[in-house]
Amino acid sequence: MKKQNHTRVVILGGGYVGVHAYRSLIKGTGDLVRTGKVSITVIDPHTHHVFHGWSGETVAGVIRDENRLSPLRQIFPKATIVRGYAKRVDRVEQKVIVAPVGSDEQIEVPYDQLIIGTGVRDSLDLIPGTKEYGVTLRGESGPDMLRQRVIELTERAELEKNEEKRRSLLRFVIAGAGFTGVEMAAAIAELLKTLRTDYRVLQEIEPEIILVHAGGTVLPQISEEFPKLTDYATRQLLDYGVRFRFWTRMIEITPEGAALNDGTFITAKTVISTIGTSIKPMPGTEDFRREMLGRIITSPDLRAEKAVNIWVGGDSAHVIQVKRGKACPQNALWAIKQGEQIGKNLARLLTGMEVKPFTYPGLGQAASLGIGKGIVELRGMQFTGVIAWVMRLFFFLHFTPSRRVAFRALVEWATLPIGKRNRTLNGKSGLSTLVGSEKKVGSGFLRFSDITAHRN
Ligand SMILES: Cc1cc2nc3c(=O)[nH]c(=O)nc-3n(C[C@H](O)[C@H](O)[C@H](O)COP(=O)(O)OP(=O)(O)OC[C@H]3O[C@@H](n4cnc5c(N)ncnc54)[C@H](O)[C@@H]3O)c2cc1C
């Protein structure tokens, strides 16, 4: 067997973990990548990194969908990009079996070091009917399709004569009052407010946005520690006319609307689920120890427990904060910091140094509640209103992987007063299904070298 003279690093997923692992690996290995001693391959079915943080702004029409998306080939310039789904990890042969998008054949990508940053999926089983009739937001263009859908339903309501049908077209029910649910409620309200100028129907009847939540307060993640932020968020949503159904669970989504566990049924053309995520263990990694929801439990250095060359971070990982003994939250900042640490540790390993445990203490959290309104918790300090909104904006711009995309997003913010109304008038259709994207491909095998050969 031919001896390998360079180290092959394979990154599964071009999300937050992937991007930041890549960057700190490049930084930490100096010339090793340029001189070919270390090669990096990124595998992802999408062509772009999705900045989920701008989801609310995309729905509200503040930021164009393309300004949430950073092209993978630009943000991983020194890596080979394989556009496909990792289907299986063969840990004996050290290779990943990949189904390339648009091909019936599978390929093998060999690795010496493997980074898993494949995130999670929206759970489509938690509320029956979500897959068929519900709306979820995680996909590459989920928020943009929701925005288009709101516009299209408003157009339909404008033509509809029947009062009850009009109301149903303009009624939006959201399951879950966590960060995503709250941001979506505010974003839809903000979009409808902008549309009001151009649509008579919105001047005649009040659209309804209903947040259904199993607990007794919005943002349960922070409500005990930071009541000022929760109170502010609640007030802003009430000002927008959002109605709450607390202590209530959504139990089914049908073509007509949402059934709740208190026996009521809300007629609505749009039902959005923001609750629950799931992980389908990647074949070949099933024996890794996992927590209840399927996240891989890591060692302090972010390797899968007992693995020597498999690293995991972000939403797919269960990482214990060293100092607090608690699991790290699942959000972008933690995924970024874990990705960074994985890249640093790998660089240390490849340059003969000891790896270090992940000790990041956290920074805070933020949410947008429409234009000019936000909440931020920064190391225990609480900010609300415009200050929080602007802080969050700059923080997100800083972490947008492509500088070009960040600049375009900044220009959109700066031109908000003149640009926003135009962005709500767009002819694309959002009424097609918003869930389920994985493509089925055949099972023929093609070697990795077959697809990389033409690149040189
Ligand atoms: C609508 C929405 C809004 C959010 N808003 C915020 C926010 O405001 N602030 C915040 O901090 N967090 C927010 N989050 C959460 C945040 O986006 C996640 O915590 C973060 O994306 C996790 O990063 P990750 O790298 O683990 O996974 P991701 O960023 O999800 O990346 C996973 C990548 O893996 C790829 N992938 C999946 N399966 C495979 C496979 N089999 N083979 C190859 N590639 C694969 C995917 O295509 C994707 O590119 C939001 C999430 C959503 C859905």
Side-chain angles (χ1 to χ4, degrees):
M1 197 173 150
K2 198 174 151 218
K3 194 175 177 310
Q4 196 57 47
N5 61 1
H6 74 283
T7 305
R8 297 159 303 186
V9 177
V10 173
I11 303 177
L12 302 188
Y16 295 84
V17 170
V19 170
H20 292 272
Y22 167 85
R23 289 187 173 173
S24 52
L25 178 62
I26 296 272
K27 201 167 158 198
T29 47
D31 267 355
L32 294 185
V33 175
R34 194 182 55 77
T35 55
K37 294 200 171 67
V38 172
S39 70
I40 307 174
T41 301
V42 177
I43 301 171
D44 197 299
H46 298 117
T47 51
H48 292 79
H49 168 281
V50 184
F51 196 89
H52 292 295
W54 292 136
S55 298
E57 281 77 1
T58 304
V59 172
V62 173
I63 282 194
R64 282 188 184 80
D65 195 36
E66 62 262 31
N67 293 335
R68 280 184 333 125
L69 307 175
S70 298
L72 295 186
R73 284 173 198 276
Q74 282 170 23
I75 58 177
F76 294 101
K78 294 183 177 150
T80 298
I81 308 287
V82 175
R83 188 170 176 214
Y85 288 92
K87 287 296 201 189
R88 180 165 65 84
V89 176
D90 182 336
R91 278 155 56 205
V92 178
E93 299 263 320
Q94 298 205 155
K95 63 189 181 191
V96 182
I97 315 304
V98 182
V101 171
S103 164
D104 284 342
E105 299 188 73
Q106 297 197 342
I107 59 168
E108 297 175 351
V109 183
Y111 68 85
D112 300 301
Q113 299 287 340
L114 182 67
I115 300 172
I116 301 179
T118 44
V120 287
R121 299 162 175 233
D122 288 316
S123 182
L124 302 178
D125 308 328
L126 227 50
I127 307 173
T130 304
K131 189 172 173 194
E132 296 82 0
Y133 314 112
V135 173
T136 62
L137 295 151
R138 193 168 294 272
E140 203 172 4
S141 54
D144 192 47
M145 288 177 81
L146 175 57
R147 186 176 75 89
Q148 299 297 339
R149 184 186 175 102
V150 174
I151 297 170
E152 208 159 309
L153 291 174
T154 308
E155 297 273 4
R156 274 169 58 178
E158 186 96 345
L159 298 177
E160 179 60 59
K161 299 275 178 296
N162 179 295
E163 179 72 9
E164 189 37 52
K165 282 188 185 158
R166 278 177 130 194
R167 292 198 178 280
S168 161
L169 289 165
L170 294 175
R171 193 174 287 127
F172 303 88
V173 189
I174 303 171
F179 278 96
T180 306
V182 161
E183 287 197 342
M184 282 308 129
I188 294 173
E190 191 64 59
L191 173 59
L192 289 164
K193 205 170 106 185
T194 313
L195 293 175
R196 210 181 144 98
T197 323
D198 298 312
Y199 292 88
R200 207 174 318 128
V201 64
L202 295 174
Q203 293 151 24
E204 290 167 6
I205 61 173
E206 204 56 57
E208 289 171 69
I209 301 167
I210 303 162
L211 259 181
V212 179
H213 186 56
T217 165
V218 300
L219 302 174
Q221 304 93 323
I222 59 166
S223 57
E224 269 182 33
E225 248 183 303
F226 305 106
K228 181 181 158 191
L229 301 184
T230 319
D231 288 351
Y232 179 85
T234 310
R235 265 186 286 118
Q236 292 313 317
L237 292 175
L238 286 171
D239 280 357
Y240 272 128
V242 174
R243 282 163 40 204
F244 302 112
R245 297 290 294 263
F246 286 132
W247 307 112
T248 311
R249 284 176 197 279
M250 193 180 286
I251 52 168
E252 192 181 0
I253 302 176
T254 76
E256 282 75 42
L260 310 185
N261 71 342
D262 61 4
T264 52
F265 187 88
I266 307 176
T267 313
K269 275 282 169 253
T270 307
V271 182
I272 303 163
S273 171
T274 67
I275 59 169
T277 53
S278 68
I279 292 190
K280 194 169 131 207
M282 172 94 54
T285 67
E286 299 95 332
D287 60 322
F288 287 149
R289 202 156 73 86
R290 291 166 191 268
E291 48 79 90
M292 236 169 41
L293 296 172
R295 298 189 168 98
I296 297 174
I297 298 176
T298 71
S299 310
D301 61 16
L302 300 180
R303 275 182 274 206
E305 273 187 344
K306 298 194 186 120
V308 287
N309 62 348
I310 300 188
W311 310 75
V312 204
D315 285 1
S316 353
H318 182 76
V319 181
I320 299 295
Q321 285 173 272
V322 173
K323 284 204 180 122
R324 299 170 80 187
K326 267 174 53 177
C328 298
Q330 308 289 324
N331 66 37
L333 182 64
W334 287 88
I336 287 168
K337 291 295 167 186
Q338 288 165 10
E340 254 174 43
Q341 181 76 31
I342 290 173
K344 277 185 197 161
N345 271 348
L346 201 40
R348 292 180 72 86
L349 200 72
L350 297 176
T351 51
M353 290 190 274
E354 293 264 298
V355 297
K356 291 191 168 174
F358 178 69
T359 54
Y360 181 68
L363 186 63
Q365 36 220 332
S368 158
L369 296 153
I371 297 176
K373 299 164 214 156
I375 53 172
V376 167
E377 179 265 308
L378 185 67
R379 298 242 154 92
M381 287 181 295
Q382 302 175 60
F383 301 89
T384 57
V386 179
I387 296 176
W389 189 67
V390 173
M391 283 166 78
R392 177 179 173 277
L393 160 71
F394 282 103
F395 183 76
F396 278 13
L397 288 175
H398 174 72
F399 281 111
T400 300
S402 158
R403 289 298 86 206
R404 219 175 295 176
V405 172
F407 178 73
R408 287 206 310 257
L410 181 61
V411 170
E412 288 213 272
W413 280 92
T415 56
L416 194 56
I418 50 171
K420 185 161 177 265
R421 244 180 95 193
N422 286 347
R423 278 172 226 152
T424 57
L425 302 170
N426 190 332
K428 280 194 275 171
S429 171
L431 288 180
S432 51
T433 179
L434 297 179
V435 292
S437 63
E438 188 165 340
K439 251 193 175 158
K440 295 269 180 296
V441 293
S443 58
F445 274 74
L446 181 76
R447 296 202 67 84
F448 181 55
S449 52
D450 294 338
I451 57 137
T452 51
H454 72 280
R455 291 174 54 85
N456 299 317

